[in-house]
Amino acid sequence: MRAMDLSHPATFARVYDEHAPAVYGAALRVLGNPAPAQDVFLRLWRRPGAFDSRRGDLGAYLRLMARSRALDLWRTAQAGGRATDRLKIASGRDEARTDDQPAPSAERDEERRIVLAYWGGLTAGEIAARAGVPVGTAKSRVRLGLQRMRAELGKTPDAAMAEAA
């Protein structure tokens, strides 16, 4: 088996194009959010030597990394929720947790904040801070929102700009 030079941009781009759907899908199935997949590809780019082709297939390695990262994030969120529950019980405020199944209105509010922040010309870090989410999550949501918008419009933003001119 011939080793790939994952530090070469063209090779990395080919690997990304080939494996991105499965890696994003693995993260989405576990967490309901594809953001951990970005971390996987970023780690692969920063440390291409971490993958050893003698130990297995690159696709399986990337999917496993995405699944593991998504599980780590899920466990962290669950632990945070349990700590919040314990604090509420200790303080005498035994209210139901809403983070397990957020209300549709809360999801709409978050989407509105991100859309307003994005169109307001904020950086990804500022959007993340305003929405109270990690930067990678904010970037993913902006990317997914743009994809949905393109699908709705049926054309790229550049084509729409050219038409308007």
Side-chain angles (χ1 to χ4, degrees), residues 11 22 45-46 50 59 62 71 74 76 78 83 87 95 106 114 125 131-132:
T11 304
W45 177 251
R46 288 183 177 161
L62 294 172
L71 283 170
W74 181 81
T76 299
Q78 293 299 310
L87 180 62
E95 299 171 7
I114 290 177

Side-chain angles (χ1 to χ4, degrees), residues 88-106:
K88 285 179 182 177
I89 290 169
S91 67
R93 294 180 50 222
D94 191 12
E95 299 171 7
R97 245 174 56 196
T98 59
D99 60 346
D100 288 339
Q101 290 293 325
S105 63

Side-chain angles (χ1 to χ4, degrees), residues 140-153:
S140 292
R141 290 179 182 168
V142 168
R143 181 181 55 80
L144 291 172
L146 288 172
Q147 285 176 342
R148 287 184 198 148
M149 188 171 65
R150 284 184 187 118
E152 289 289 323
L153 295 174

Side-chain angles (χ1 to χ4, degrees), residues 49-62:
F51 170 67
D52 183 0
S53 61
R54 295 172 298 188
R55 294 184 66 197
D57 177 57
L58 178 61
Y61 171 77
L62 294 172

